[in-house]
Amino acid sequence: MSTPETGRRKGRGALSNPDGRYEPTEHRREDDGWYREAGPAPVATTLTPDRARSVITRNDSPDVPFDRSINPYRGCEHGCVYCFARPGHAYLGLSPGLDFETRLFYKQDAAKRLREELSHPGYRCSPIALGINTDAYQPAERRLGVTRELLEVLTECHHPVSIVTKSALIERDLDLLSELAGHRLVQVMVSVTTLDNRLASRMEPRASAPHRRLQVLRRLSAAGVPVGVLVAPLIPAVNDAELERILDACRDTGAQTAGYVVLRLPHELKQLFREWLEAYLPDRARHVTNLVRQLHGGKDYDPTFARRMRGQGPIADILAQRFDLASRRLGYRSEALELDCTRFHPPGHGGQLSLF
């Protein structure tokens, strides 16, 4: 695996491309002082078909509100430096750093595989979470349309679906979302990390700007699509001071549901995030690192269910109290919308059972 030189790149979140944890060797760049480049070279995005035999992933995690999900893409060009899914690229023999946001894989036959799985005689309907690990509406979706095809299948079958995104591209599919909403079959959560354009451009360089995400909430809500806001991740001394302002701004757009997740740094992600702190927030990098550890019992990451997304200790308690107070004041629902599973019918059946 090639390891591009470390440094800031326009439109990229990670500053380096460290070897994944499963690689037998580790590459490090050392500066001997003899040769200095003007800056790190740009890294182009590549897209590779991923011909999966199935698209629905099952989980039994007690702290997530769904038991099945579909991720049309592996890797994400949004480049969010804090993304908890980055370490998953190590399973592909690639780096969770720049590789994660430049070497992308898309499930070319996703809609076909979904039809097959929904047609199985033993299939039992339960809401599908679309685009959980990586954003289903990242820039590649504009030309590939994998997510659009999946939504068409789900709409045809009257299958309930929940979506989390930080992309304005979701507005393209408003026709399908409105149809699903008319049957109580969809809920959309928009991730809003900050209202500060400059901070957003550094943390999530190719995601939609904060004001565009507010517009998405407003437009979907106006079209009758149930929407909510996910403040994720909350990072002490970086964006946690904005919690109430974000909830206020999103409630004005018509958001009905709110949630939050604290920063978690599994595996290689802690190195990538520290590099980002040193580059963009050097005056408080050590302070932020210490606060994040306090959130997770003195460790960079605690994978324990229920604690991994909310943290523990005084800082976690204060964040929870602030969120609860603001949510009650603004009238947010604490529970996700209950979607209707009774309308589902397998593909091609049109809601009618066969006589033979």
Side-chain angles (χ1 to χ4, degrees):
M1 180 184 67
S2 62
T3 308
E5 64 274 20
T6 299
R8 303 184 190 184
R9 291 173 176 79
K10 185 178 181 180
R12 300 300 182 190
L15 277 74
S16 66
N17 210 39
D19 295 292
R21 59 193 178 282
Y22 301 116
E23 298 305 300
T25 57
E26 180 180 347
H27 300 80
R28 292 187 180 181
R29 291 183 176 271
E30 298 290 343
D31 182 7
D32 60 7
W34 282 91
Y35 177 71
R36 294 183 183 274
E37 296 181 351
V43 181
T45 300
T46 64
L47 290 162
T48 303
D50 180 6
R51 293 179 175 85
R53 287 180 291 182
S54 64
V55 293
I56 300 178
T57 300
R58 311 271 178 161
N59 81 84
D60 57 2
S61 302
D63 59 351
V64 294
F66 55 86
D67 67 357
R68 63 199 69 182
S69 60
I70 298 177
N71 291 292
Y73 300 93
R74 291 208 266 184
C76 185
E77 200 174 6
H78 280 162
C80 304
V81 70
Y82 51 72
C83 182
F84 71 91
R86 281 184 177 272
H89 242 45
Y91 293 112
L92 305 175
L94 298 172
S95 172
L98 285 167
D99 282 349
F100 176 79
E101 53 194 279
T102 60
R103 300 182 66 176
L104 311 181
F105 299 81
Y106 65 98
K107 294 177 180 172
Q108 188 176 38
D109 301 325
K112 179 181 178 181
R113 295 290 167 263
L114 179 59
R115 282 183 172 276
E116 294 171 353
E117 292 177 64
L118 297 184
S119 298
H120 192 279
Y123 182 79
R124 295 294 177 266
C125 180
S126 183
I128 288 175
L130 184 58
I132 296 301
N133 280 352
T134 55
D135 204 312
Y137 286 99
Q138 58 180 284
E141 169 63 18
R142 189 175 300 279
R143 59 185 183 277
L144 295 175
V146 180
T147 299
R148 172 78 186 189
E149 292 177 355
L150 289 167
L151 271 182
E152 288 172 345
V153 175
L154 295 171
T155 303
E156 173 193 339
C157 299
H158 285 183
H159 195 295
V161 59
S162 63
I163 301 171
V164 178
T165 186
K166 56 186 67 171
S167 172
L169 181 57
I170 193 173
E171 294 174 348
R172 178 201 64 186
D173 295 337
L174 192 54
D175 58 332
L176 297 175
L177 297 172
S178 296
E179 183 176 346
L180 288 165
H183 300 292
R184 212 176 77 219
L185 294 172
V186 68
Q187 180 176 38
V188 175
M189 298 291 286
V190 176
S191 175
V192 181
T193 316
T194 176
L195 299 176
D196 182 336
N197 283 334
R198 185 174 183 181
L199 179 58
S201 69
R202 292 173 171 182
M203 282 202 302
E204 26 192 48
R206 298 199 180 193
S208 295
H211 72 276
R212 279 295 285 124
R213 297 184 218 181
L214 297 181
Q215 289 177 359
V216 167
L217 285 166
R218 184 172 288 107
R219 289 172 181 173
L220 265 61
S221 178
V225 179
V227 291
V229 56
L230 184 62
V231 188
L234 276 176
I235 310 171
V238 176
N239 70 336
D240 64 310
E242 295 187 68
L243 175 58
E244 289 82 1
R245 293 201 300 275
I246 292 172
L247 293 175
D248 270 311
C250 293
R251 192 69 180 96
D252 289 342
T253 67
Q256 304 164 1
T257 307
Y260 77 97
V261 177
V262 300
L263 178 69
R264 41 187 171 139
L265 299 173
H267 304 300
E268 298 90 346
L269 188 53
K270 53 182 169 291
Q271 173 191 339
L272 295 166
F273 186 70
R274 285 173 187 159
E275 289 175 348
W276 182 88
L277 283 174
E278 291 292 346
Y280 291 105
L281 301 173
D283 58 323
R284 60 185 121 151
R286 181 176 296 183
H287 180 54
V288 173
T289 298
N290 289 335
L291 292 176
V292 171
R293 284 176 176 161
Q294 289 179 44
L295 265 177
H296 297 290
K299 298 178 288 187
D300 290 304
Y301 177 55
D302 179 2
T304 306
F305 290 134
R307 289 207 302 258
R308 59 179 180 165
M309 298 187 193
R310 290 289 187 268
Q312 60 180 312
I315 297 175
D317 292 342
I318 290 172
L319 290 176
Q321 291 170 24
R322 288 173 56 196
F323 176 81
D324 289 343
L325 286 170
S327 295
R328 286 200 298 270
R329 172 175 58 83
L330 295 167
Y332 278 112
R333 282 200 312 261
S334 58
E335 300 294 331
L337 179 69
E338 185 175 350
L339 303 179
D340 187 357
C341 295
T342 66
R343 296 177 177 270
F344 169 73
H345 57 81
H349 282 248
Q352 297 294 323
L353 297 177
S354 173
L355 293 175
F356 303 101

